[in-house]
Amino acid sequence: MRGLRDKVVLVTGGGHGREQAGSSLGQLMCVELAKEGSKIVVADLTQERADATVEQVKAAGGEAVGIAVDVVDEASVKAMVDTALEAFGRIDVLVNNAGVFGAYLPLLEIETSQWEKVMDVDLKGVFLVTKAVLPSMLERGAGVVINVSSASGVVASEVGAEYTTAKHGVIGLTKQISYDYGHQGIRAVGIGPGVIKTAAFEGAEITPDFPFYDLTMQAPAGRYGEPMEIARAVCFLASDDASFIHGHTIPVDGGSPTR
């Protein structure tokens, strides 16, 4: 894709547990971006998880560094950005991918601590990381911010009130970043994955017991999404081929119905 070669891309939630089978969404994003010629900053909660993805990027012929970060801690986020800039001199693309799921409970059954955890990681984390990266992008007058929301950013479902609220917030924040900084060379866009057949599903026969089975099978695609479909969509949004897409969150969800 145009414009990705030699770009420096920072991906939060880009790590992967060595004990897990298959690739995480974040890891696959990093590897696919590296295949396009980008230099990757892999950020995750632990150094081990970040390094596991760095190994995969290097095995694919790419260049990467791994950084441990807690996206809800402002000092940790600042240290991550400083390390990334020291390693590569700039950050061209930021992918805010770090996130956690909800408790799959209705509002009255959600503990305040659970609400705060999801809101912190899924929404505050996007705010803190973007706020730390933007100054270096604005100094150069160019940059792309990609926020990973969800199909839950536009619908309500059994995933839970805290997750639905946070992901709606990510879509609003994406629009605001575009509004605030689009005329200063910053392109902010989002991606809204549907239900994806992640590594946890690998080798399993898809049955009605799978998460969101009815909603997924009723959608036009009639199937779960593949991790590669999300990773390639991120590559497109990061590239110059998407240069006229500003402020919007692109659903990659098989046409999931809204309600």
Side-chain angles (χ1 to χ4, degrees), residues 3-5 30 44 49 54-55 58 61 66 77 111-113 123 126 141 155 162 199 208 214 225 232 244 259:
L4 285 178
R5 182 157 300 280
C30 292
D44 209 286
R49 289 180 61 85
V54 169
E55 290 177 10
K58 290 182 176 179
V77 169
E111 298 290 338
T112 301
S113 59
L123 186 52
V126 176
V155 301
E162 76 281 46
D214 289 342
R232 293 308 303 173
F244 201 51
R259 68 175 189 268

Side-chain angles (χ1 to χ4, degrees), residues 203-215:
E205 180 184 355
I206 295 177
T207 69
D209 295 330
F210 266 53
F212 305 101
Y213 179 88
D214 289 342
L215 181 66

Side-chain angles (χ1 to χ4, degrees), residues 40-85:
I40 312 299
V41 180
V42 183
D44 209 286
L45 190 57
T46 70
Q47 190 66 47
E48 182 181 22
R49 289 180 61 85
D51 288 345
T53 294
V54 169
E55 290 177 10
Q56 292 299 311
V57 169
K58 290 182 176 179
E63 185 177 353
V65 296
I67 305 173
V69 66
D70 181 352
V71 297
V72 305
D73 182 278
E74 196 160 4
S76 178
V77 169
K78 182 181 183 305
M80 171 193 68
V81 173
D82 289 345
T83 302
L85 292 174

